[in-house]
């Protein structure tokens, strides 16, 4: 009984928020000082390029390395961060990402202990993402937030989350699939279309219609060219590295999407909260392992899905082994705790970071398709 207050303290949202906040600042500052903030420079410069009427999707070597690959809307939404001193915006941007995911998990209708477990399991991947100044945690938060909004009977808020997610990274729009589980479908679709149109047109505050159309044309051309770029940490890369299989990316992705959607034929399960939450988990993992451009910082989405699945499932030795493997191989093996030589000669060539998530995803799909033990609601907090 003496340990009970300690358990309550560890699972207290305020304590976890403080840990997340301090860890984000501590993880951000040395990366910024060492110049590993190219993504941040790309995002900040996109706003000024949009304002000046420059091609967002051309190389700007005087500003940053690599291309800007996000929507014109995203460039506009970076205005608050572009207007801050770079050092301040580095911390503000990463805090925005960290707490978008934190808020989404906090609002999930699961117990306090389950939330604390999710927060703990995603922590390493969260640091990996923010140390690269990526937007993946923000997108993960919006995808989870879409389900949260639906669970709280707010299709308009869900529609906004979907539209915002898609305006950051197109695959964020996949969260629209959740509308199948809930009533008032037409209301959601209308709200989503309205939000999408509004967000797509929002850059007109800074540019002309013809200029905006020009920017969108260049964006779509860049995305098309990027689709045929080299594979990274995906199931396609794994098939090639382990088995020498080089099937077209599109064929593997279509097969994966079909497998993801098969459990949705079980309409009798739509009322079961665990089924809905586990489909959310499967979607989060799917968006990474079937993404041919998936990089290490993107795995915050996949590990968030694995964490939600594990925390809301019945305990078993098999699940414990799976989650331990995800933590050790997916999360820890890509950090500096593993010697760089091992990472360059073993972990990266064998696509090991993706493998545990691939295995867990197939387990998720099997459970979604076959299991009949989903309760009506999650267990209450104790």
């Amino acid at each position: 009984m003496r340990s009970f207050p300690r358990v309550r303290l560890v699972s207290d949202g305020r304590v976890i928020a403080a840990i997340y906040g301090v860890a984000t600042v501590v993880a951000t500052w040395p990366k910024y000082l060492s110049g590993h903030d190219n993504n941040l420079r790309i995002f900040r410069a996109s706003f000024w390029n949009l304002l000046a009427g420059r091609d967002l999707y051309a190389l700007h070597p005087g500003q940053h390395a690599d291309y800007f690959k996000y929507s014109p809307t995203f460039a506009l939404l970076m205005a608050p961060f572009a207007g801050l001193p770079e050092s301040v915006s580095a911390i503000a941007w990463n805090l925005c990402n960290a707490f978008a995911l934190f808020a989404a998990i906090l609002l999930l209708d699961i117990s306090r202990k389950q939330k604390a477990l999710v927060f703990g399991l995603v922590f390493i991947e969260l640091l990996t993402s923010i140390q690269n100044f990526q937007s993946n945690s923000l997108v993960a938060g919006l995808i989870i937030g879409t389900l949260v909004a639906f669970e709280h009977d707010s299709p308009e808020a869900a529609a906004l989350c979907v539209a915002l997610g898609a305006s950051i990274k197109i695959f964020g729009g996949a969260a629209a699939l959740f509308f199948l589980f809930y009533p008032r479908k037409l209301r959601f679709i209308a709200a989503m279309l309205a939000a999408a149109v509004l967000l797509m047109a929002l850059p007109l505050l800074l540019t002309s219609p013809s200029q905006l159309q020009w920017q969108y044309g260049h964006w779509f051309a860049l995305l098309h060219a990027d689709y045929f770029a080299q594979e990274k940490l995906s199931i396609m890369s794994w098939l090639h590295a382990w088995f020498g299989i080089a099937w077209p990316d599109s064929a593997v992705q279509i097969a994966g999407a079909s497998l993801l959607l098969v459990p949705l034929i079980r309409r009798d399960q739509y009322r079961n909260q665990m089924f809905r939450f586990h489909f959310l988990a499967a979607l989060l993992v799917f968006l990474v392992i079937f993404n041919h451009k998936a990089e290490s910082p993107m795995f915050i989405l996949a590990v968030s899905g694995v964490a939600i699945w594990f925390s809301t499932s019945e305990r078993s030795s098999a699940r414990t082994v799976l989650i331990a493997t995800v933590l050790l191989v997916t999360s820890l093996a890509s950090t500096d705790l593993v010697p760089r030589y091992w990472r360059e000669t073993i972990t990266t060539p064998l696509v090991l970071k993706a493998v545990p998530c691939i295995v867990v995803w197939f387990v998720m799909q099997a459970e979604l398709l076959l299991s009949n033990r989903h309760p009506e609601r999650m267990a209450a907090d104790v």
Side-chain angles (χ1 to χ4, degrees):
M1 295 296 294
R2 291 181 179 179
S3 64
F4 184 71
R6 296 180 184 177
V7 173
R8 298 287 290 184
L9 179 64
V10 170
S11 61
D12 191 314
R14 292 166 296 183
V15 173
I16 298 172
I19 293 172
Y20 267 46
V22 171
T24 297
V25 174
V26 170
T28 298
W29 195 242
K31 286 292 183 179
Y32 171 74
L33 291 179
S34 62
H36 290 85
D37 63 334
N38 186 61
N39 286 320
L40 178 68
R41 293 199 298 271
I42 291 173
F43 298 157
R44 283 166 52 90
S46 69
F47 170 76
W48 299 113
N49 290 335
L50 177 68
L51 184 63
R54 290 188 286 266
D55 184 357
L56 289 171
Y57 306 101
L59 281 175
H60 297 283
Q63 299 173 343
H64 51 73
D66 209 349
Y67 290 95
F68 176 71
K69 299 176 182 178
Y70 296 70
S71 72
T73 300
F74 180 83
L76 176 65
L77 296 177
M78 285 301 298
F81 304 99
L84 293 171
E86 189 174 83
S87 58
V88 178
S89 70
I91 294 174
W93 170 245
N94 278 345
L95 285 173
C96 174
N97 274 266
F99 280 100
L101 181 59
F102 174 86
I105 295 171
L106 190 68
L107 292 171
L108 279 172
D109 188 18
I110 57 179
S111 75
R112 177 171 167 164
K113 292 180 181 178
Q114 289 169 324
K115 292 174 186 177
L117 181 56
V118 175
F119 284 130
L121 293 173
V122 305
F123 186 69
I124 296 174
E125 286 298 335
L126 174 66
L127 294 181
T128 298
S129 182
I130 64 176
Q131 284 186 320
N132 286 273
F133 298 91
Q134 288 278 12
S135 61
N136 298 303
S137 300
L138 177 56
V139 175
L142 288 169
I143 292 173
I144 298 170
T146 301
L147 189 79
V148 168
F150 274 125
E151 291 285 313
H152 289 82
D153 196 30
S154 180
E156 292 83 7
L160 182 59
C161 286
V162 170
L164 279 171
S167 70
I168 299 172
K169 292 194 173 183
I170 289 178
F171 64 73
L177 283 170
F178 302 146
F179 91 104
L180 295 171
F181 300 140
Y182 303 93
R184 299 193 288 178
K185 292 178 173 57
L186 291 179
R187 182 170 172 178
F188 164 75
I189 292 172
M192 183 182 67
L193 291 175
V197 170
L198 177 63
L199 286 173
M200 288 181 67
L202 202 59
L204 290 174
L205 294 172
L206 298 181
T207 189
S208 67
S210 60
Q211 187 81 7
L212 182 58
Q213 183 180 9
W214 177 71
Q215 296 283 15
Y216 274 113
H218 284 211
W219 182 41
F220 295 145
L222 179 63
L223 292 179
H224 181 266
D226 197 51
Y227 182 79
F228 296 100
Q230 184 179 5
E231 299 166 355
K232 295 188 177 179
L233 297 174
S234 65
I235 195 169
M236 293 80 77
S237 302
W238 170 69
L239 288 172
H240 186 263
W242 285 42
F243 307 107
I245 297 173
W247 291 330
D249 290 349
S250 58
V252 178
Q253 290 166 338
I254 291 171
S258 300
L259 187 56
L260 173 74
L261 299 176
V262 165
L264 296 180
I265 65 176
R266 305 185 68 194
R267 295 181 57 86
D268 61 307
Q269 291 289 305
Y270 286 10
R271 292 181 58 194
N272 293 322
Q273 193 181 51
M274 188 180 291
F275 181 87
R276 301 193 298 269
F277 277 44
H278 285 191
F279 184 80
L280 161 67
L283 178 64
L284 286 166
V285 180
F286 167 85
L287 292 174
V288 178
I289 64 173
F290 284 93
N291 188 324
H292 71 293
K293 295 291 289 181
E295 298 177 295
S296 184
M298 191 176 173
F299 274 76
I300 182 61
L301 285 98
V303 174
S304 294
V306 173
I308 291 169
W309 166 77
F310 180 76
S311 69
T312 57
S313 297
E314 295 178 3
R315 294 293 175 267
S316 70
S317 298
R319 288 194 180 94
T320 301
V321 169
L322 285 173
I323 195 66
T325 305
V326 169
L327 287 175
L328 291 173
V329 179
T330 298
S331 294
L332 287 175
S334 59
T335 68
D336 291 337
L337 294 176
V338 174
R340 183 176 180 179
Y341 175 79
W342 288 8
R343 283 183 278 137
E344 292 180 348
T345 59
I346 300 175
T347 305
T348 301
L350 293 179
V351 199
L352 290 183
K353 187 175 180 72
V355 174
C357 293
I358 293 171
V359 174
V360 172
W361 186 76
F362 280 102
V363 172
M364 289 178 181
Q365 291 304 121
E367 291 181 351
L368 284 167
L369 190 58
L370 303 174
S371 177
N372 288 308
R373 295 181 297 172
H374 298 299
E376 194 72 20
R377 290 183 58 80
M378 302 294 183
D381 197 3
V382 291

